[in-house]
Amino acid sequence: PFLKLRAPGWILGPDSRKMSKRWGNIVTPDDIVPKFGADTLRVYEMFMGPFDREKVWSTDAVSGCKRFLGRFHDMVFSDKVVEEESLEALKLAHRLQDFVTKDIEQFQFNTAIARMMEFLNSFIPLSAYPRSCLKRAVQMVYPFAPHAAEEMWQELTGSCDSITYEPIPPIDSKYLVDDTAMYVIQ
């Protein structure tokens, strides 16, 4: 029963020592949440690295997670949201769901968040954002940033129904495979 149990890694203070009142290097959620928000704190803590390794706290890195959530929010509330689907957007959304689902099952939350950041970098340059693809992406963000995801979900669906009870659509494997591949020959 304990195959997936992992020894927790420490989150070290900004000075790379174990957080302690004695050294005065404790960073509390009460200091972070008012400035960055609860969702940003959650995303940062999961993005720091694997649970079984030590990690050094960096308040500067928290702002990177805030920018990530802000970019995601701006994408959902953009004027480029459309109903028509495109092949490129569908591929990006289905691959995101595939990667994030597998990462969550393996408790690799930091790589799941990294995949969402990669998705943003590939999706934002598209000329239009299909609503169905955005909904799929928001469902992937939900376990990490539930408050922001609820707001984005309500914008995409136009209703006050919670994303919590919305089933995640199945992945279509045809969007996971590329038709062509580039091989560099020297």
Side-chain angles (χ1 to χ4, degrees):
F2 299 105
L3 292 176
K4 293 193 179 204
L5 181 66
R6 300 182 182 170
W10 295 100
I11 296 179
L12 304 176
D15 57 358
S16 299
R17 294 191 296 186
K18 182 179 167 188
M19 286 191 194
S20 169
K21 289 190 286 185
R22 178 175 137 199
W23 290 313
N25 64 351
I26 295 176
V27 179
T28 67
D30 295 338
D31 299 335
I32 301 299
V33 171
K35 185 174 180 184
F36 296 102
D39 281 342
T40 301
L41 176 63
R42 287 171 54 101
V43 168
Y44 176 66
E45 286 182 329
M46 287 185 263
F47 186 59
M48 289 177 82
F51 287 131
D52 57 347
R53 298 216 176 93
E54 288 184 347
K55 300 160 276 293
V56 178
W57 181 269
S58 169
T59 305
D60 294 336
V62 178
S63 60
C65 291
K66 183 163 182 66
R67 279 193 311 274
F68 159 68
L69 289 175
R71 289 180 68 207
F72 217 104
H73 182 274
D74 293 345
M75 180 180 64
V76 169
F77 283 83
S78 170
D79 295 335
K80 296 166 80 174
V81 177
V82 296
E83 297 298 328
E84 303 84 35
E85 296 176 339
S86 68
L87 179 62
E88 189 174 1
L90 286 168
K91 281 185 176 185
L92 289 170
H94 281 263
R95 288 177 182 175
L96 174 70
Q97 182 179 344
D98 183 53
F99 289 136
V100 171
T101 303
K102 288 176 182 173
D103 287 342
I104 289 173
E105 288 171 357
Q106 296 172 1
F107 298 104
Q108 296 176 339
F109 304 127
N110 58 325
T111 58
I113 294 167
R115 302 258 192 202
M116 287 186 264
M117 291 176 178
E118 291 170 3
F119 167 80
L120 268 182
N121 292 335
S122 301
F123 199 83
I124 286 178
L126 296 178
S127 59
Y129 306 149
R131 187 178 306 276
S132 64
C133 296
L134 288 175
K135 287 169 65 174
R136 193 177 293 263
V138 168
Q139 285 183 303
M140 295 300 102
V141 171
Y142 179 67
F144 304 97
H147 304 101
E150 281 288 351
E151 181 181 348
M152 291 184 274
W153 184 258
Q154 289 178 4
E155 171 67 17
L156 291 171
T157 61
S159 74
C160 292
D161 295 338
S162 176
I163 190 174
T164 305
Y165 304 108
E166 190 66 33
I168 297 173
I171 299 170
D172 192 340
S173 60
K174 73 180 179 184
Y175 296 120
L176 303 180
V177 180
D178 285 326
D179 296 334
T180 60
M182 182 185 299
Y183 285 96
V184 177
I185 300 172
Q186 185 174 2

